[in-house]
Amino acid sequence: MYLTPKSGLFLGGACIAAIAAVGSVFELSYGEPDFGVPTTAIILALSIPLTVFFFIAAVKDARDNIG
């Protein structure tokens, strides 16, 4: 079994961060974000690298548990 609880948590974090990024893009493109432009831009700026980090960590953990 390749998926461990740790890699599952990493994948969940990647999904949540990706959803936050997509939501932030839609909010910013709409013109009037609910949290304001600066806060939404910060969420977008943080969620993109977090998505990449969590996904890479999940893949690395799964690869480490192959054998």
Side-chain angles (χ1 to χ4, degrees), residues 5-42:
K6 182 176 162 185
S7 60
L9 286 173
F10 284 142
L11 281 176
C15 290
I16 291 170
I19 290 168
V22 170
S24 295
V25 168
F26 278 114
E27 285 283 317
L28 288 170
S29 65
Y30 175 68
E32 292 292 328
D34 291 338
F35 298 126
V37 174
T39 304
T40 306
I42 290 170

Side-chain angles (χ1 to χ4, degrees), residues 16-66:
I16 291 170
I19 290 168
V22 170
S24 295
V25 168
F26 278 114
E27 285 283 317
L28 288 170
S29 65
Y30 175 68
E32 292 292 328
D34 291 338
F35 298 126
V37 174
T39 304
T40 306
I42 290 170
I43 292 170
L44 177 63
L46 292 175
S47 61
I48 292 172
L50 277 176
T51 301
V52 173
F53 169 76
F54 282 137
F55 184 76
I56 290 172
V59 170
K60 182 179 179 321
D61 183 64
R63 284 187 179 174
D64 290 344
N65 292 302
I66 286 177

